[in-house]
Each structure stands twice: as structure tokens, then as C-alpha cells.
Amino acid sequence: MESSLEWFADAACVGRTELFFAPAHSETTRQRRDREYSAIAICKLCPSMIQCRNYARTRGELGLWGGETEDQRWRAGYINAGIRRRSVGY
């Protein structure tokens, strides 16, 4: 497991949190899908994708991390069902 956050300095998402976390207001299923697709496209080109995904998995993070949605982490057993937010299925 990555013990430091040095990988974050190289992350392609820095400054783009609006794509990786749901907005405070509600969004439609289509808006969420479009936002998550845009975020995943950034993740696929990111040199820190694996470290980011592992970080989220080990900490039960919400939002999209390392190209992986909350729903994907929940289905893989990384997020407690009590805190899971439903993402658009892929």
C-alpha cells in the first residue's frame, strides 16, 4: 500500500474535483454519467491511476478515484453499504 501521497502531485485530476465528486445540488442520471465518463477519461491517462485507486479502496473513499466509481468499489467490497452513493453503472 502507498504510504505517502507523493503520487498525488503527478495526478492528472489536480484542480478538476468537479468531475470526480458529485455536486452539492442534485444531478440527473445523464449528467452524472457524462461527468463520470469525463473523469474516467482523465484517469486513463494519469500516471497515478493505480496509486489513486488503491488509496480509495483502502480508505473507503467516495467519489471517483483511479478510474473507479463508488459503485464499482462497493461491488468489489471496498465501500460499506451504509455510506455508498449510487453511481451510474458501467
Side-chain angles (χ1 to χ4, degrees):
M1 177 173 73
E2 188 81 18
S3 60
S4 74
L5 295 178
E6 290 177 15
W7 57 266
F8 191 74
D10 296 325
C13 65
V14 173
R16 305 290 310 272
T17 57
E18 76 281 357
L19 293 176
F20 295 87
F21 301 97
H25 62 82
S26 62
E27 62 184 352
T28 66
T29 300
R30 182 177 183 163
Q31 288 170 325
R32 184 171 189 149
R33 183 194 67 223
D34 291 348
R35 177 179 54 77
E36 288 181 345
Y37 280 156
S38 295
I40 289 168
I42 292 170
C43 290
K44 286 181 179 181
L45 300 174
C46 183
S48 301
M49 186 176 83
I50 300 301
Q51 295 95 328
C52 181
R53 181 180 295 164
N54 290 339
Y55 177 85
R57 285 178 171 183
T58 59
R59 288 161 182 80
E61 293 288 343
L62 300 179
L64 199 143
W65 292 76
E68 191 170 64
T69 66
E70 292 170 21
D71 193 49
Q72 290 167 326
R73 282 193 303 284
W74 176 81
R75 284 182 285 163
Y78 294 106
I79 295 180
N80 180 310
I83 61 170
R84 176 178 166 243
R85 285 180 355 105
R86 185 85 178 137
S87 62
V88 179
Y90 299 105

